Amino acid sequence: MKKLLILCMGVMFVIACTDKKKDDKKTEEAIQKIDSIQADVEKDIEKLENSTKEVEEELKELDNI
């Protein structure tokens, strides 16, 4: 009876460890997606800053006229 209980517990432990590995993969994929989104957002922010600077320079030129 003890051997059967130990065997069942061992099987349950292996199953639990396997599920965590799948969750870890999903977590890593989600982190990679978030990192790529963050990189895209940072690029867009840089573009907006550059556009803002250009508009400010053009407005200064118009003020000088």
Side-chain angles (χ1 to χ4, degrees):
M1 190 64 134
K2 287 183 182 181
K3 290 181 181 179
L4 181 61
L5 180 61
I6 292 172
L7 181 62
C8 288
M9 295 297 274
V11 169
M12 292 177 73
F13 180 74
V14 169
I15 291 171
C17 290
T18 304
D19 288 340
K20 287 183 181 180
K21 289 180 183 175
K22 289 179 184 177
D23 289 341
D24 289 342
K25 281 187 178 180
K26 289 180 182 178
T27 303
E28 288 178 22
E29 289 175 0
I31 290 172
Q32 289 176 351
K33 287 179 183 178
I34 290 170
D35 287 342
S36 67
I37 291 170
Q38 180 182 2
D40 291 342
V41 168
E42 288 174 353
K43 288 179 186 176
D44 290 341
I45 288 172
E46 288 178 17
K47 289 179 184 177
L48 286 172
E49 288 176 350
N50 291 336
S51 297
T52 304
K53 288 178 183 178
E54 290 175 5
V55 168
E56 287 176 350
E57 289 174 3
E58 290 175 3
L59 283 173
K60 286 179 183 179
E61 289 179 11
L62 285 175
D63 285 341
N64 290 335
I65 296 178

